[in-house]
Amino acid sequence: MEEPLEMPPGEEGKPCPLSGELPADPSLQVEISDAVSERDKVKFTVQTKSSLPHFTRPVLSVVRQHEEFVWLHDTFSENDEYAGIIIPPAPPRPDFEASREKLQRLGEGNSTLTREEFAKMKQELEGEYLAIFKKTVAMHEVFLQRLAAHPVLRRDHNFYVFLEYDQDLSVRGKNRKELLGGFFRNIVKSADEVLITGVSGLKEVDEFFEHERTFLLEYHTRVRDTCLKADRVMRSHKSTWGLAEDYIPISVALGSLGTQEVRQLQMSFLKLAELFEWLRKLEGRAASDEDLKLSDLLKYYMRDSQAAKDLLYRRLRALADYENANKALDRARMRNKEVKPAEAHQQLCCQRFERLSASAKQELTDFKSRRISAFRKNLIELAELELKHAKASSLLLRNTLIALKGDDA
Amino acid sequence: MAAEREPPPLGDARPPELEELEDGEDLFTSTVSTLESSPSSPEPASLPAEDISTNSNGPKPAEIILDDDREDLFAEATEEVSLDSPEREPILSPDPTPAITPVTPTTLVTPRMESKSVSAPVIFDRSREEIEEEANGDLFDLEINVSDPEKVGDGMNAYMAYRVTTKTSLSMFHKNEFSVKRRFSDFLGLHSKLATKYLHVGYIVPPAPEKSIVGMTKVKVGKEDSSSTEFVEKRRAALERYLQRTVKHPTLLQDPDLRQFLESSELPRAVNTQALSGAGILRMVNKAADAVNKMTIKMNESDAWFEEKQQQFENLDQQLKKLHASVEALVCHRKELSANTAAFAKSAAMLGNSEDHTALSRALSQLAEVEEKIDQLHQEQAFADFYVFSELLGDYIRLIAAVKGVFDHRMKCWQKWQDAQVTLQKKREAEAKLQLANKPDKLQQAKDEIKEWETKVQQGERDFEQISKTIRKEVGRFERERVKDFKTVIIKYLESLVQTQQQLIKYWEAFLPEAKAIA
């Protein structure tokens, strides 16, 4: 299905709601100005405005697909230079499967639906599709914007290539070998989990990191659980309101009752039908707001906290390497063999570890303030939106009541 | 103003003409519009004879109960009738001595002497029968409650006993307030008796709540979970609505079986209501036979009104069924939403605990609380959706089935009449043949048979006209009740929705400052 999405103008420099307030930096502004959905692929138009000398033109525009974003993320996370940085989590794969399936089922001609019901359901599903689309665009955009805002990451060569190279990056999807490689990497990571949970007996000397470790472990688990539960609530909401499996047939049935009923009840039923239509739309909007402000927030911080955990693993691995190098140096000194290389190696490990620690400290502090401001913003917006919707519903209901009571003889 | 009047001589009063009712029109505006097809001015004597026969207790006095103060004989009447608007003009004309003459031997008019109270006639013109029905509704003073479900017995013989409490000032009852214990089969028994007596002459007898083997088995077995309590509550409410509808029907209210049901402490067990009893099987067979008959009767409908109404009810039936199914689905999903919201609230609380930033932690805990409260709200809303809306729809689907039944009885009545005519024709032909064949002894018998069948034909025609008239009246009353019912329920439902939204506003308004306080 072709779904060209026009991003509203003037969105540049807007603080990203998920990653907290990002500074509007004129030297490098990245946004996704357009997106098109083609069958099973989404094509994002990435627009860059920059005054940096690296770019050949002040304004650049390229078309990228999801796999290229993932490739970019992987180059960062595999780069040892950035080991002390929280790598912004890669955006999730665009998933229109469920939505597309529903639309297909609807289109297959479910004859139990009246024409009116069909039209309304189609509208609902299309709205849902559009919402998912907007979300995936936002996710991809946030990823790029965080990269652009980070003082170190923004200078990465691959990032420039990504932003400027107007040909296809020929980043094919991972073949089997690479997937397997990824699988092994995950196993290694679990070993790191063991490290990080302190079972291996690695001594943490820094209180700050000790605290962060305990905190992040629990926080990540909790936020993942809450995210899951929030998703379930969204899905329930959808079946009551959004997909309107329930409300559409009700309002349609009420409508036809309204036209066929005796005079005294006509007004009641018609008003009720109208009301249900309105409530459905209102509640649909409320549900998707909740989805955006709560669900997406939790999802993002689930991924971001995982990235922070990854950083801690890397630092601990560096610490382990440092300790091992120390032991090796001691052994070399004892045997008085190859002391120099051992010393050099130990120096390297020490420097690496200290570099990572310093950087990690900064990153984790940033993570915290980012998280707090994002939660704050989203919770406030959530509450304000909920209030707005509840007030609108309340007003609507009260007006209907007045109309119906007035209709009484 | 009442002081000017002399009390009427007892047993001897004439109801003033309706025209003297200054506000007569106002009282019944809502009903007037549906009365286009009402019969013009039937004689009072045309009231169903069945009324008298089944009403062995004699005519019921009017609903107006007066005290012994003769001066104010009609003051009470004024107050009773002017329920809706206190500034209504007195119903009676300033005629000092209205002579009350019983217009027919049937209900409503003849005053009855009682030691405690004196009843006055219903002061409405008989010709406005429909309005009189409405008047009975307005002067109706009978409150019924079904409460306190109690499990009696053990195992598979256990049953639920419900307390039926009646509060009334009607004189046909022995006391003003009384209560009895009844079980579900008693209600079914009552309905069965009423249906047998009244359905076939065209009265819309409200159907009893449905049996539920699954539900009852759970209760019997003693499962004390929420679904069985819900089932019992649903049944209790349904029984209450059933009784309230039944007593609202002016003719049914007169029935001694109904009175016995409400009043007497012991009631003979109604075994015929069991599904697998002999009577139950007979019922099923009859139903099947009826269905076949219905298909074969092709009635010449002379009155378009009936055809129209039948079609209307058929449409209404379909619409209501559709709506009912959708509302039940809604209720189900609301329950699901509630469960998920509760789980989310718990999870958010734990997240709040693990958050190390104090203000954010507090805000998250607050969020969890808000979500929990919202969950409660959703549950209550599901309750409202179900009881208020869905049960009403279910009730009316069953009521319309009763209405359709009544129309079917009319068809059967017509068929009977036609059959009698056909038989009469045959007898006449047989007689003519006998005349020619000159068989005097058989001739007399044939003449007798003709006489017999002529009477039957006449009776058949009368019955048919009677049932048609009754149905018209009943449908009018039914529609009025339905309009009232639906309007009330819709408003109640909307009010509950408003409540929910108001609560939501309160919760989120309380939360907002917490969110803003995150520093």
Side-chain angles (χ1 to χ4, degrees), chain A residues 225 236 246 261 371 376 408, chain B residues 333 340 347 355 482 518:
Chain A
D225 181 63
S236 283
D246 305 325
E261 259 287 13
R371 183 176 83 243
R376 177 177 194 275
D408 265 356
Chain B
H333 286 139
N340 286 335
S347 186
E355 175 60 68
R482 186 169 75 86
I518 305 172

Side-chain angles (χ1 to χ4, degrees), chain A residues 226-281:
Chain A
T226 312
C227 180
L228 206 75
K229 302 276 159 60
D231 262 349
R232 287 214 196 109
V233 174
M234 290 320 137
R235 259 179 287 145
S236 283
H237 249 304
K238 281 215 151 67
S239 73
T240 321
W241 304 107
L243 194 55
E245 272 170 30
D246 305 325
Y247 270 71
I248 288 180
I250 291 182
S251 62
V252 167
L254 285 170
S256 52
L257 263 171
T259 49
Q260 295 184 20
E261 259 287 13
V262 294
R263 199 185 49 81
Q264 294 94 327
L265 284 179
Q266 261 180 6
M267 161 96 147
S268 302
F269 280 118
L270 284 174
K271 276 265 165 231
L272 207 59
E274 231 178 76
L275 176 77
F276 271 58
E277 262 305 287
W278 259 105
L279 282 180
R280 174 174 71 92
K281 295 209 182 100

Side-chain angles (χ1 to χ4, degrees), chain A residues 247-350:
Chain A
Y247 270 71
I248 288 180
I250 291 182
S251 62
V252 167
L254 285 170
S256 52
L257 263 171
T259 49
Q260 295 184 20
E261 259 287 13
V262 294
R263 199 185 49 81
Q264 294 94 327
L265 284 179
Q266 261 180 6
M267 161 96 147
S268 302
F269 280 118
L270 284 174
K271 276 265 165 231
L272 207 59
E274 231 178 76
L275 176 77
F276 271 58
E277 262 305 287
W278 259 105
L279 282 180
R280 174 174 71 92
K281 295 209 182 100
L282 216 56
E283 293 284 346
R285 256 177 267 151
S288 50
D289 284 340
E290 258 180 54
D291 193 16
L292 228 63
K293 300 295 166 195
L294 210 49
S295 261
D296 282 355
L297 175 73
L298 292 167
K299 252 187 233 130
Y300 192 78
Y301 278 92
M302 177 179 78
R303 276 185 251 120
D304 216 13
S305 57
Q306 181 63 51
K309 272 167 77 181
D310 290 345
L311 171 61
L312 285 180
Y313 300 150
R314 292 195 290 269
R315 180 184 161 276
L316 278 178
R317 237 187 301 145
L319 179 60
D321 290 343
Y322 179 32
E323 287 207 348
N324 288 339
N326 270 339
K327 290 197 194 115
L329 181 60
D330 285 343
R331 277 200 304 269
R333 284 202 178 125
M334 269 201 323
R335 280 181 262 145
N336 213 344
K337 252 208 281 191
E338 295 180 2
V339 176
K340 269 281 156 49
E343 258 178 17
H345 179 64
Q346 191 252 28
Q347 272 290 67
L348 220 63
C349 287
C350 176

Side-chain angles (χ1 to χ4, degrees), chain A residues 112 114 117 211-212 215 218-219 222-223 225-227 229-233 235-237 239-241 245-247 249-254 256-257 260-265 268-269 272 275-276 279 283 290 294 298 368 371-372 375-376 379-384 386-387 389-391 393-394 397-398 400-401 404-405 407-409, chain B residues 29-31 33-34 309 312 315-316 319-320 322-323 326-327 329-331 333-334 336-338 340-348 350-351 353-357 360 363-364 367 371 374 378 385 389 393 479 482-484 486-487 490-495 497-499 501-502 504-506 508-509 511-512 515-519:
Chain A
T112 61
T114 67
E117 281 177 344
H211 168 82
E212 284 297 307
F215 166 71
E218 196 188 343
Y219 187 79
R222 295 265 171 267
V223 87
D225 181 63
T226 312
C227 180
K229 302 276 159 60
D231 262 349
R232 287 214 196 109
V233 174
R235 259 179 287 145
S236 283
H237 249 304
S239 73
T240 321
W241 304 107
E245 272 170 30
D246 305 325
Y247 270 71
I250 291 182
S251 62
V252 167
L254 285 170
S256 52
L257 263 171
Q260 295 184 20
E261 259 287 13
V262 294
R263 199 185 49 81
Q264 294 94 327
L265 284 179
S268 302
F269 280 118
L272 207 59
L275 176 77
F276 271 58
L279 282 180
E283 293 284 346
E290 258 180 54
L294 210 49
L298 292 167
K368 180 165 178 161
R371 183 176 83 243
I372 291 170
F375 267 80
R376 177 177 194 275
L379 288 178
I380 292 177
E381 284 178 2
L382 174 71
E384 286 175 346
E386 294 273 9
L387 272 173
H389 293 307
K391 284 186 178 153
S393 298
S394 177
L397 285 164
R398 269 179 291 145
T400 312
L401 261 175
L404 287 181
K405 282 185 174 156
D407 179 47
D408 265 356
Chain B
T29 9
S30 61
T31 68
S33 49
T34 53
K309 278 294 170 197
Q312 267 179 32
N315 285 343
L316 186 62
Q319 302 285 12
L320 287 182
K322 226 171 148 195
L323 188 58
S326 309
V327 173
L330 177 67
V331 168
H333 286 139
R334 259 214 220 273
E336 206 183 280
L337 176 61
S338 153
N340 286 335
T341 312
F344 172 74
K346 282 205 186 78
S347 186
M350 299 230 282
L351 181 64
N353 284 342
S354 70
E355 175 60 68
D356 63 349
H357 185 260
L360 179 54
L364 283 170
L367 180 69
E371 291 287 338
I374 290 179
H378 283 150
D385 287 341
F389 212 27
L393 292 172
E479 284 290 272
R482 186 169 75 86
V483 167
K484 252 200 294 191
F486 271 89
K487 275 203 174 144
I490 287 177
I491 290 186
K492 216 165 37 158
Y493 182 57
L494 286 182
E495 283 175 347
L497 284 179
V498 171
Q499 275 284 79
Q501 294 300 321
Q502 301 284 62
L504 279 176
I505 290 177
K506 264 204 232 139
W508 287 109
E509 276 181 345
F511 174 73
L512 195 53
K516 289 196 169 149
I518 305 172

